[in-house]
Amino acid sequence: MISDFDVALLIGVAIVVLASWRTNRRALLWIAAAALDFIVSTAYWRSGLPYGAAAGAFCDGMVVLAANHFGRARWELGVRPFFQASVAVNISFVATQLMGIRLDQDILSIVLEAINWAFLLFLFWVSGTPDWLANVLGIPDTWRPRRVLLRARVALQQERRSESFWTT
Amino acid sequence: MDDLAALASRILGAILGAFLALVFLIPKSRRELIARGTFSVIVGFLAGPPIRVYYLHWDSDPQYRMAAASGVAMLSWFVMEAAVRILRVWMPREKETE
């Protein structure tokens, strides 16, 4: 029932949860949202019902709207592009199905898996663990790539500028 | 009964298309959401069938009706967003009252 890819993803999720536990507790909320999205869309897909990609797109879209509405910090709005990319991939797959173009389902799975991993990597970076690791390894914060990433992370920790469209 | 299914698939498709467009181009206010959503749903509902028949050459199955209405509704949202942005560049802003 659970494939090797699912196990690898679960390990990745466990690492990000551990990394975010003390520094960025709200990341757990978005991991939970992503997990719910993954479980619902995968259950729909594996049940054999038609247009699983369309159901996946709908679930991903709901996460985008949730991030837009409930997100407080800027990094929480940064969650949206990952799910928007997922929606784009899913609806492109549905479009190819409707146009009669036979596309291997594995291609869709690989691309979606890559987006999931990118999302986990983003949360891992936001948690600040890479900085802690860099300190442990003795990488100086004057090193340009590290400095750029650090500044970007600090900027993303700030409060969002605009309210959700639903409240204005 | 077939007419009812066709109508339902068109309405549902237009609403789903507007939802998908909302995911990509998030409005700034509730008012903007209502304006764009209404516009997209109406365009998707009305322009979906002719585009399906004359341009896409798809069958009249409910799934194709729904997909056509959805695609047109989504596209209309994007077109409206582009038009609004162009107008904002070209039209002078209103002077703020003190």
Side-chain angles (χ1 to χ4, degrees), chain B residues 23-97:
Chain B
V23 166
F24 288 105
L25 289 173
I26 297 168
K28 289 187 180 71
S29 63
R30 208 184 298 187
R31 195 177 153 189
E32 210 175 291
L33 168 78
I34 291 165
R36 286 183 194 187
T38 311
F39 174 76
S40 288
V41 170
I42 290 170
V43 172
F45 179 75
L46 294 176
I51 285 176
R52 177 181 58 81
V53 174
Y54 297 114
Y55 291 99
L56 298 168
H57 306 292
W58 281 350
D59 298 338
S60 56
D61 291 350
Q63 58 187 4
Y64 289 112
R65 284 179 191 277
M66 197 187 283
S70 178
V72 171
M74 195 163 74
L75 198 69
S76 71
W77 186 296
F78 294 154
V79 170
M80 192 183 185
E81 175 77 25
V84 166
R85 285 189 186 191
I86 290 165
L87 282 173
R88 273 187 195 146
V89 172
W90 284 93
M91 287 176 75
R93 283 171 180 267
E94 285 177 23
K95 282 183 183 173
E96 286 178 21
T97 50

Side-chain angles (χ1 to χ4, degrees), chain A residues 51 65 84 98 165-166 168, chain B residues 23-24 27-30 63 67:
Chain A
Y51 297 109
L65 295 183
Q84 283 171 334
L98 288 167
F165 69 86
W166 198 250
T168 50
Chain B
V23 166
F24 288 105
K28 289 187 180 71
S29 63
R30 208 184 298 187
Q63 58 187 4

Side-chain angles (χ1 to χ4, degrees), chain A residues 80-124:
Chain A
R80 294 179 308 185
F82 297 99
F83 291 93
Q84 283 171 334
S86 191
V87 172
V89 170
N90 275 315
I91 58 173
S92 303
F93 190 77
V94 175
T96 56
Q97 275 184 323
L98 288 167
M99 286 172 179
I101 302 165
R102 284 255 167 227
L103 210 70
D104 198 350
Q105 198 187 308
D106 288 347
I107 296 170
L108 176 75
S109 303
I110 290 165
V111 176
L112 292 178
E113 198 78 7
I115 293 169
N116 286 338
W117 278 103
F119 172 65
L120 287 179
L121 203 64
F122 172 74
L123 289 184
F124 185 70

Side-chain angles (χ1 to χ4, degrees), chain A residues 14-46:
Chain A
I15 291 168
V16 175
V17 166
L18 286 173
S20 309
W21 190 261
R22 291 190 65 179
T23 54
N24 191 18
R25 201 59 75 86
R26 275 185 74 83
L28 305 182
L29 181 75
W30 298 112
I31 290 172
L36 189 68
D37 170 22
F38 182 80
I39 290 165
V40 171
S41 53
T42 308
Y44 183 94
W45 192 285
R46 288 183 185 170

